[in-house]
Amino acid sequence: MGQKPTIPTETVYAFMVDVFTALGAPPEEARICADVLIASDLRGIESHGVGRLKYYYDRIQAGVHRTTTDIEVVKETETTALLDGHHGMGHVIAYRAMRMAIEKAGQYGLGAVAVRNGTHFGIAGYYPLMAAEEGMMGLVVTNARPSIVPSFGAEPMLGTNPIAFAAPSDLDYPFWFDAATSISQRGKIEVAEREEKPVPEGWVVDREGQPLTDPGQILEALGKAEAGLLPLGGAGEVLGGYKGYSLATIVEILSASLCGGVFMKDLLGFAPDGSRRPYMLGFFFLAIDIEHFLPVEVSRQITGGIMRALQSSRKAPGQDRIYVAGEKEWELQRIIREQGVPVNTNLRQELQIMRDELGIEGYEEYF
C-alpha cells in the first residue's frame, strides 16, 4: 500500500455518486458508475478508479458523454442482441448489456451482446465478474481511441483494446483476467504523472520509434498522436510483439464488425471539421451458462484444480509464491476496505475542484 494517504472506501463511493448525480445522471445510474469505479479501487487498479473520475467529469462537461443513458435494441434473437448506447454513460450501457447476455445464457446456454456508440466503461473486468457471480463464464472486449502502434510501426492505430474473462472456481475467488493488449495503458501513465514518476522504458515510443519515459510528455504526445503504446511483447517480433498486436486487432474486429461500429482513427473523438464528438466505442459481451454443458460444481472444481496446480508448481529461485489471475486483486479488496482508497495530493486536488465547481457539500475533511 506504500505511504499514500487514504480515504475510506464508503466516502470515495459516496462522493462519486454525488458527482455523477450533480452532473445529471439518474441516481440508479450514478450508483452503477460509482460501483464500477470503486470496484477498480478495491482491487488496487488505481488507473480506473476514483483517479478516472475527473476524466468522465471533463468529457461530460465537454458534451461527449451523455449522463442519461438511452439504450436502443437494434436487433435481438434468443441468444444475441445488438444495442446502440447513444453515447450515454459507458458503465450503465455495459452493465445492462452484460445483464442481458447473462439472462439469455441462463435460458439458452449462451448470450452474446454487441454494442455500438458506447463510451468508456471503466475496467472491462467488472462485467465478466457479473457472469461469474451467477455461476457462468464471461468474456468482454472493447475497442478504444488509437494508442497502440502495430508491430514495426510508429503510428498509433489500435486502442488499448482490453480482454476480460472470468470463470467461477471452488476457491474463494474466481479466475479473473483483465488486461489491455498493450504493455501498459494510458491510465497507468496518468497515475505516474500524478505521482511524478517516470514510466519504464519500453512502454511508449515516439514517431521515430524511440522510447519515451516522461509521463507528462507522453500524455501530451499521445493526445497529438505523436507517440504510441507498444503492444504486449514489445517492439518487433523477437519477444512476440506481433501477438499483442494481433490480439488488439481481434478485439477491434469483435468491437466493430458485429455492431456496425466505427474503428481505429474514427474513434479519436473528433469530427472531420476538428470539433469534438462522442468516441463511439464498440463493446462485445459473452456469457456462457456452464449448466448447459455440465454441472457448475464440476466446472468449478476443474477450474479450481487448474488454479491450484499453477499455484503449487515449482517456483523460480528467490520466489515464494505463484499467483493466478485475480488472486492478488481478491486479497487487496480486504486490505483496501479496511485501510481506505489511496489518494495522493494531486488526486485530492482534482476531487476538490469537482466538489467546488459542482457545489457539493461536505468532504472537506478529506479534500
Side-chain angles (χ1 to χ4, degrees):
M1 296 291 293
Q3 301 300 312
K4 296 179 185 177
T6 62
I7 298 176
T9 56
E10 298 83 0
T11 302
V12 173
Y13 173 81
F15 179 70
M16 292 192 292
V17 171
D18 286 347
V19 168
F20 285 121
T21 303
L23 288 168
E28 179 189 356
E29 296 181 4
R31 287 191 291 271
I32 291 172
C33 294
D35 196 60
V36 176
L37 268 62
I38 202 67
S40 181
D41 280 318
L42 284 170
R43 290 165 175 80
I45 308 171
E46 296 180 46
S47 59
H48 282 65
V50 67
R52 268 288 168 92
L53 185 61
K54 186 67 161 54
Y55 170 92
Y56 301 113
Y57 176 85
D58 290 341
R59 288 190 172 188
I60 291 167
Q61 298 284 52
V64 296
H65 280 199
R66 296 176 180 170
T67 52
T68 54
T69 303
D70 178 22
I71 301 173
E72 175 189 359
V73 179
V74 179
K75 184 176 182 180
E76 185 174 13
T77 71
E78 289 81 359
T79 58
T80 65
L82 169 59
L83 308 181
D84 192 317
H86 292 295
H87 320 301
M89 294 305 296
H91 317 77
V92 178
I93 299 167
Y95 177 87
R96 292 179 177 163
M98 192 68 204
R99 181 56 57 196
M100 179 181 283
I102 289 169
E103 290 171 358
K104 289 180 178 295
Q107 188 169 1
Y108 297 104
L110 298 174
V113 178
V115 178
R116 65 186 180 215
N117 293 323
T119 59
H120 194 282
F121 64 20
I123 53 169
Y126 180 92
Y127 308 102
L129 275 178
M130 292 171 59
E133 288 167 0
E134 301 280 346
M136 301 183 186
M137 295 182 186
L139 174 71
V140 176
V141 299
T142 174
N143 58 13
R145 57 180 171 172
S147 57
I148 293 180
V149 299
S151 295
F152 304 119
E155 179 183 6
M157 294 296 295
L158 295 156
T160 49
N161 292 13
I163 298 171
F165 172 81
S169 79
D170 62 355
L171 297 173
D172 293 332
Y173 46 90
F175 180 87
W176 182 63
F177 175 83
D178 178 7
T181 48
S182 52
I183 292 176
S184 188
Q185 33 81 9
R186 186 184 183 93
K188 288 188 177 180
I189 297 168
E190 291 170 352
V191 170
E193 183 185 38
R194 284 195 293 269
E195 295 179 344
E196 301 176 0
K197 295 179 180 178
V199 302
E201 186 172 314
W203 280 16
V204 186
V205 294
D206 63 17
R207 296 181 67 176
E208 306 302 321
Q210 298 303 307
L212 297 175
T213 59
D214 180 87
Q217 179 187 4
I218 289 169
L219 291 171
E220 182 179 357
L222 286 173
K224 298 177 180 178
E226 294 177 351
L229 305 173
L230 288 170
L232 287 170
E237 295 183 340
V238 174
L239 296 178
Y242 64 93
K243 298 178 183 179
Y245 162 41
S246 297
L247 285 171
T249 307
I250 290 171
V251 172
E252 196 77 28
I253 292 168
L254 288 172
S255 301
S257 299
L258 288 173
C259 68
V262 300
F263 53 90
M264 294 195 293
K265 290 296 182 70
D266 283 333
L267 297 171
L268 282 170
F270 292 96
D273 63 2
S275 61
R276 294 197 68 175
R277 70 179 183 187
Y279 288 87
M280 301 185 290
L281 305 183
F283 312 146
F284 178 71
F285 304 84
L286 177 66
I288 304 169
D289 186 3
I290 296 166
E291 285 285 351
H292 280 74
F293 294 84
L294 78 172
V296 66
E297 289 309 315
V298 175
S299 177
R300 288 180 184 272
Q301 291 168 9
I302 293 171
T303 299
I306 292 169
M307 295 164 73
R308 284 186 290 274
L310 292 168
Q311 292 164 329
S312 61
S313 62
R314 184 167 56 250
K315 298 161 186 64
Q319 302 300 317
D320 58 7
R321 188 168 179 182
I322 294 173
Y323 292 89
V324 292
E327 184 178 1
K328 286 184 179 181
E329 292 82 0
W330 177 78
E331 293 183 353
L332 275 172
Q333 287 187 83
R334 178 183 56 79
I335 297 171
I336 293 174
R337 284 188 189 280
E338 292 176 357
Q339 299 185 4
V341 177
V343 180
N344 62 31
T345 300
N346 289 333
L347 179 52
R348 284 173 190 263
Q349 291 173 352
E350 288 186 0
L351 302 182
Q352 184 175 348
I353 288 170
M354 289 183 281
R355 183 199 69 196
D356 294 345
E357 289 184 351
L358 293 171
I360 296 173
E361 297 182 356
Y363 304 102
E364 289 83 0
E365 177 184 352
Y366 302 103
F367 45 83

